[in-house]
Amino acid sequence: MTCTPPQLPEHPALTNDTSMLTRRFGKEVTNYFSGSRLNRYSFLRSDAAFLGKAATSPHARFMALDDLRPLVVDGKRLALLSYGEVEGVLGPSCAVRGSDEERVRAFDSSKVASEVQVVFLGTAAGAGHDHDDDVVWESSEHGVVRGRPYFAIDVSRARGGGETEGDLVREAWVKSQGEKNMWVALDTRSLTLHSEHAAMFAQARSVIDWNTRNRFCAGCGRANLSVEAGYKRVCPPTDLKDAAAPSDADAPVPVVLPDCPTRHGVSNTCFPRTDPTVIAAVVSSDGERMLLGRQSRWPPHWHSNLAGFLEPGESVEEAVRREVWEEAGVRVGRVVLHSTQPWPYPSSLMIGAVAEALPGDGETIHLNDGELESATWFTVDEVRTALAQTPGAMTEPAPKEYIEGDLRVPPPQAIANRLMTAVVEGYLTGNAKI
Amino acid sequence: MTCTPPQLPEHPALTNDTSMLTRRFGKEVTNYFSGSRLNRYSFLRSDAAFLGKAATSPHARFMALDDLRPLVVDGKRLALLSYGEVEGVLGPSCAVRGSDEERVRAFDSSKVASEVQVVFLGTAAGAGHDHDDDVVWESSEHGVVRGRPYFAIDVSRARGGGETEGDLVREAWVKSQGEKNMWVALDTRSLTLHSEHAAMFAQARSVIDWNTRNRFCAGCGRANLSVEAGYKRVCPPTDLKDAAAPSDADAPVPVVLPDCPTRHGVSNTCFPRTDPTVIAAVVSSDGERMLLGRQSRWPPHWHSNLAGFLEPGESVEEAVRREVWEEAGVRVGRVVLHSTQPWPYPSSLMIGAVAEALPGDGETIHLNDGELESATWFTVDEVRTALAQTPGAMTEPAPKEYIEGDLRVPPPQAIANRLMTAVVEGYLTGNAKI
């Protein structure tokens, strides 16, 4: 978890010289799950020649997710596999074998569920861990590409005999790396990954989850196909499932499918979904208290900032006012955007704000929608003490300084912790600090 | 279009006394399509008794959308219909007739496409246009509800004889209002609606569009059902389509459908989708120029800020850096969040930022992904002149002061205009102004 100074992705588009970033505007907040050093090169996702060359090279690294859990080496680092270690689970028409045009033409709805999902994450160049990060590639249409290519692969699929693809990949890893490097799948929420790997995991988990949840076209209900290296799902116009072959020598003639609305113009359902979510540190009008809420399923004494999904037709500021009023009855005036955080459960964008309650009646708590077990005004000092006594995840025990019954708050990996910290550190005094 | 002082929704949760909002933090930017005065009361969307009572009352108002175009009175105001004027198009199991439980039990996939979509938008109370806005309701479980209830209704469906539901509603309106109030559907992008009605339209258009695009379950491909007054689509466990009736006297026995992943736990695909989109006014490191891009399909001389969809696993700041580098090759350092705007085409959340290019090589333009026709550094003075000469939409002619060949920029309804204005008005000098 890093907050200041900003840790920027170290790819060719950017810089790691943070000194020049603070000159005009002050510091930038980099929350956990952001700060990836990958250059996504999104315009190369349909460059089949590049993807094939990159994936099969000795420089390529694959992050494997088993039922959305990352495979890790020691709980802090992702197990990064070579092409040889994942080759056995890749099907004949996966994203790094053949162009999207070929894959659409060869679409067979009876076979598509057995294809292993591969996602191109991007490349890492420059200030990496070894000189392989300086590798240079030629793309088909966009000139030179720099850096070691990273992919994600979904190894959840069942094989015969109770095995999953994950077991096969694990065997290949043990064979090449030796028993002592045996790895396990990390619980998805434990937030122990090194921040750089956490950011790569956030990208991979969200994209694979989206592909998994959207195997059928929302516009017509037929099976669809993942293209553009995992970043698009299209509804193919033909299907080889019930194809007729005129004779053994002829290629089967695919069945032409009925029309689908997603084949006309741009359809947002074809692209990965990210859900904007607002979260706000609400401060009393006198600046001395903070409003925190509590869900009944949390361990005793845990509280956090109020949060909820932004709805269609709302600005962030309006969503904050609605959520805070619906959940706690408190009326919010000014809302200041603080920072944002990707949250891959399954694919949210947390938009963090600091907000000010309106004085008087505006600060009276009333649980309008019944979603919270309680909402409470804590003093800034109570929040400061709780922040100091928050060693990690909810599952971890409190430190010995903790007095039973006192407030507990989320760990620094959560943006809620960063918003509370901003307030405690004087965000509300003087000029805005963002 | 209002920017300062903040115009807050005037519902019971909030205030219209803006004086107290600027005390601590400075001004808040309210962009076009935000600033709705409706209280969404999202927790009442499954309160069938309330919805039925509210919709059928003389206080209710319905906004009608025909193929997503709002029906308007004079180009600036929505035509707001009474229950009597829309009653004829409402089917027997629409959202305001019967509970969601009953509607799920009665689900018949062969009939669901013929149901007219109704969306509960919220209520307007307090500083409204007439005393009806002070009406008080009893909800089933959440106490008193205040204000005139607003709904949206989709009247696009074809009826027999080449008519649509819209024609039927239009006839009812003419009959009750008289010929002189005849209305037409406004082109969706003309941005001429009064700001308060524009905000209601943004909500209605996005939610109806989402329902229209997602008639099939992304998890299993079967037809689904709109519930919670338009804010959720569920995959029912049974279907009356091929139901067998043991005898004429017995109720038909619905067919039990195979399992679907969306019926376990919370599935984000069941809820309306909003796509976070970043847009940035990129300023040169010396603060004297602004980077604008141009798409080949735009009229001559039009330019705007660079923008693009945020991807899974990105913070807003990272998405800005990626988009600017991919589209224009410019390397961005510090990114400051400015304001946000709902954009209902189909359902985006525009997240506006001001960003600073890195000096030297960082400012060299290179169109990496080929999406733009060109990207150009304009002086702040050129942008200032263009802002002063931007009367309205792209389709409008330039004012007579305009010199052919000079820069043209989007109208004030677009957040791009507000970001450019912020820079021109000195956003970059001194302390951050947000």
Side-chain angles (χ1 to χ4, degrees):
Chain A
M1 176 66 210
T2 57
C3 277
T4 56
Q7 294 210 336
L8 296 176
E10 294 157 350
H11 68 62
L14 304 173
T15 179
N16 57 353
D17 176 4
T18 58
S19 61
M20 63 178 79
L21 303 185
T22 59
R23 190 162 49 86
R24 204 186 290 273
F25 287 122
K27 293 169 182 171
E28 176 169 317
V29 177
T30 303
N31 291 302
Y32 195 72
F33 287 133
S34 66
S36 170
R37 58 188 283 263
L38 297 184
N39 182 345
R40 296 187 178 213
Y41 280 109
S42 72
F43 47 87
L44 298 180
R45 291 169 189 163
S46 45
D47 185 339
F50 164 75
L51 291 175
K53 199 163 49 180
T56 55
S57 90
H59 305 288
R61 291 294 177 267
F62 291 79
M63 170 196 328
L65 298 190
D66 190 346
D67 201 14
L68 299 175
R69 297 170 303 175
L71 303 176
V72 300
V73 178
D74 58 8
K76 295 193 175 175
R77 287 182 300 133
L78 297 165
L80 293 171
L81 303 143
S82 67
Y83 179 73
E85 287 156 1
V86 301
E87 193 177 5
V89 302
L90 296 177
S93 69
C94 80
V96 295
R97 289 181 178 167
S99 73
D100 286 344
E101 292 72 23
E102 289 162 356
R103 297 175 62 240
V104 168
R105 271 200 303 275
F107 176 69
D108 182 334
S109 63
S110 67
K111 292 181 181 161
V112 70
S114 65
E115 266 304 335
V116 165
Q117 181 71 50
V118 177
V119 174
F120 174 56
L121 299 175
T123 73
H129 300 301
D130 59 59
H131 68 279
D132 267 7
D133 291 358
D134 292 327
V135 65
V136 173
W137 310 84
E138 268 304 317
S139 70
S140 299
E141 295 173 10
H142 293 93
V144 166
V145 180
R146 291 178 190 283
R148 178 196 288 280
Y150 284 80
F151 295 84
I153 180 170
D154 178 10
V155 296
S156 315
R157 203 171 67 90
R159 298 176 70 88
E163 272 197 335
T164 66
E165 304 283 13
D167 297 319
L168 199 72
V169 169
R170 195 173 288 118
E171 281 164 30
W173 171 275
V174 171
K175 200 169 162 187
S176 67
Q177 306 277 337
E179 190 70 26
K180 74 185 165 73
N181 285 312
M182 178 78 92
W183 38 260
V184 293
L186 181 72
D187 170 61
T188 49
R189 293 250 192 178
S190 64
L191 305 178
T192 59
L193 282 174
H194 175 276
S195 63
E196 191 178 284
H197 280 194
M200 287 168 53
F201 165 64
Q203 178 184 2
R205 189 190 194 281
S206 289
V207 177
I208 287 180
D209 180 272
W210 174 74
N211 278 282
T212 304
R213 285 179 195 266
N214 292 272
R215 295 194 186 281
F216 295 87
C217 176
C220 73
R222 284 186 290 271
N224 57 14
L225 177 69
S226 179
V227 295
E228 296 195 2
Y231 292 84
K232 188 174 183 182
R233 295 189 74 89
V234 294
C235 189
T238 60
D239 190 348
L240 280 171
K241 184 186 170 197
D242 299 314
S247 75
D248 286 354
D250 292 335
V253 179
V255 173
V256 175
L257 298 170
D259 194 30
C260 169
T262 67
R263 290 189 216 125
H264 306 281
V266 179
S267 177
N268 65 341
T269 62
C270 296
F271 295 96
R273 168 178 174 142
T274 303
D275 295 309
T277 308
V278 298
I279 179 166
V282 179
V283 181
S284 59
S285 61
D286 63 9
E288 293 181 3
R289 290 160 297 143
M290 195 187 297
L291 178 68
L292 300 180
R294 187 182 145 67
Q295 294 181 22
S296 55
R297 62 188 169 83
W298 291 348
H301 316 308
W302 284 84
H303 287 72
S304 189
N305 294 137
L306 274 52
F309 290 112
L310 178 133
E311 293 197 344
E314 278 184 328
S315 69
V316 168
E317 295 85 349
E318 290 171 324
V320 167
R321 294 194 191 98
R322 178 181 54 74
E323 281 290 345
V324 172
W325 181 76
E326 289 185 351
E327 293 191 351
V330 170
R331 295 163 66 197
V332 164
R334 182 74 169 96
V335 176
V336 176
L337 304 179
H338 177 272
S339 62
T340 62
Q341 177 181 42
W343 193 253
Y345 303 103
S347 185
S348 290
L349 172 71
M350 305 297 291
I351 305 177
V354 177
E356 191 179 32
L358 296 177
D361 285 353
E363 298 185 351
T364 306
I365 288 170
H366 184 260
L367 308 178
N368 283 309
D369 65 7
E371 279 194 19
L372 294 178
E373 180 183 89
S374 64
T376 309
W377 287 106
F378 290 91
T379 66
V380 168
D381 277 344
E382 286 173 311
V383 176
R384 183 180 290 112
T385 302
L387 286 167
Q389 295 181 347
T390 299
M394 275 194 192
T395 48
E396 288 184 34
K400 61 181 195 298
E401 304 81 43
Y402 176 77
I403 299 165
E404 183 63 22
D406 278 2
L407 174 64
R408 299 201 67 189
V409 296
Q413 292 93 330
I415 192 171
N417 180 292
R418 306 325 301 163
L419 296 173
M420 294 181 201
T421 300
V423 171
V424 164
E425 289 180 350
Y427 194 84
L428 289 170
T429 58
N431 292 308
K433 291 274 172 48
I434 47 177
Chain B
M1 177 66 210
T2 56
C3 275
T4 57
Q7 294 210 337
L8 296 176
E10 294 157 348
H11 67 62
L14 303 173
T15 181
N16 58 353
D17 176 3
T18 57
S19 61
M20 63 178 76
L21 302 185
T22 59
R23 190 163 48 88
R24 203 186 290 275
F25 286 124
K27 294 168 180 171
E28 177 170 315
V29 176
T30 303
N31 291 302
Y32 194 73
F33 287 132
S34 67
S36 171
R37 58 188 283 262
L38 297 183
N39 183 344
R40 296 189 177 211
Y41 279 110
S42 72
F43 46 88
L44 298 180
R45 290 170 190 163
S46 46
D47 185 339
F50 164 75
L51 291 176
K53 199 163 50 180
T56 56
S57 90
H59 305 288
R61 291 294 177 267
F62 291 78
M63 170 196 329
L65 297 191
D66 189 345
D67 201 13
L68 300 175
R69 295 170 305 175
L71 302 176
V72 300
V73 177
D74 59 7
K76 292 193 178 176
R77 286 182 300 133
L78 296 166
L80 293 171
L81 303 142
S82 67
Y83 180 72
E85 287 156 0
V86 302
E87 192 176 5
V89 304
L90 296 177
S93 68
C94 81
V96 295
R97 289 180 176 166
S99 72
D100 286 343
E101 292 71 22
E102 289 161 358
R103 298 175 62 241
V104 168
R105 271 200 302 275
F107 176 70
D108 182 334
S109 63
S110 67
K111 291 180 181 160
V112 70
S114 65
E115 267 302 335
V116 165
Q117 181 70 51
V118 177
V119 174
F120 174 56
L121 298 175
T123 74
H129 300 302
D130 59 57
H131 69 278
D132 267 7
D133 290 358
D134 292 328
V135 65
V136 173
W137 310 85
E138 268 303 317
S139 70
S140 300
E141 294 174 11
H142 293 93
V144 165
V145 180
R146 292 177 189 283
R148 178 197 287 280
Y150 284 82
F151 295 85
I153 180 170
D154 179 11
V155 295
S156 316
R157 202 173 67 91
R159 297 174 72 87
E163 272 197 334
T164 66
E165 303 283 13
D167 297 319
L168 200 73
V169 169
R170 194 173 289 119
E171 282 164 31
W173 170 275
V174 171
K175 198 170 164 185
S176 66
Q177 306 276 336
E179 190 69 25
K180 74 183 164 76
N181 284 311
M182 178 78 93
W183 38 259
V184 293
L186 182 72
D187 171 62
T188 48
R189 294 251 191 175
S190 63
L191 305 178
T192 60
L193 283 173
H194 175 277
S195 64
E196 192 179 283
H197 279 193
M200 286 168 54
F201 165 63
Q203 179 184 0
R205 188 190 194 281
S206 289
V207 176
I208 287 180
D209 180 272
W210 174 74
N211 277 281
T212 304
R213 286 180 196 267
N214 292 272
R215 295 194 185 284
F216 295 87
C217 176
C220 73
R222 283 185 291 272
N224 57 14
L225 178 70
S226 179
V227 296
E228 296 194 5
Y231 292 84
K232 189 174 182 183
R233 294 190 74 90
V234 293
C235 190
T238 61
D239 190 348
L240 280 171
K241 183 187 170 196
D242 298 314
S247 77
D248 284 353
D250 292 336
V253 180
V255 174
V256 175
L257 299 170
D259 193 30
C260 169
T262 68
R263 290 190 215 123
H264 306 281
V266 179
S267 177
N268 66 341
T269 62
C270 296
F271 296 96
R273 167 178 175 144
T274 304
D275 294 308
T277 308
V278 299
I279 178 166
V282 180
V283 180
S284 59
S285 61
D286 62 9
E288 294 181 2
R289 289 160 298 143
M290 194 186 297
L291 178 69
L292 300 179
R294 184 182 150 69
Q295 294 181 22
S296 55
R297 62 188 170 84
W298 291 349
H301 316 309
W302 283 85
H303 288 73
S304 188
N305 294 137
L306 274 52
F309 289 113
L310 178 133
E311 295 197 344
E314 277 184 330
S315 69
V316 168
E317 295 85 348
E318 290 171 323
V320 167
R321 293 193 191 100
R322 179 181 54 75
E323 281 290 345
V324 173
W325 181 76
E326 290 185 350
E327 293 191 351
V330 169
R331 296 163 66 194
V332 164
R334 183 73 170 97
V335 176
V336 177
L337 303 178
H338 176 271
S339 62
T340 62
Q341 176 181 42
W343 194 253
Y345 304 102
S347 187
S348 289
L349 171 71
M350 304 297 291
I351 306 176
V354 176
E356 191 179 32
L358 296 178
D361 285 353
E363 299 185 350
T364 306
I365 288 170
H366 183 258
L367 309 178
N368 283 310
D369 65 8
E371 279 195 18
L372 295 177
E373 180 184 87
S374 64
T376 309
W377 287 106
F378 290 91
T379 68
V380 168
D381 278 345
E382 286 173 310
V383 176
R384 183 181 290 112
T385 301
L387 286 166
Q389 296 181 346
T390 299
M394 274 194 192
T395 49
E396 289 184 33
K400 62 180 192 299
E401 303 80 44
Y402 177 75
I403 299 165
E404 182 63 23
D406 277 2
L407 174 65
R408 298 202 68 189
V409 296
Q413 292 93 330
I415 193 172
N417 180 293
R418 308 324 301 164
L419 297 172
M420 292 181 203
T421 300
V423 171
V424 164
E425 289 180 349
Y427 194 84
L428 289 171
T429 57
N431 291 309
K433 290 275 172 49
I434 45 176

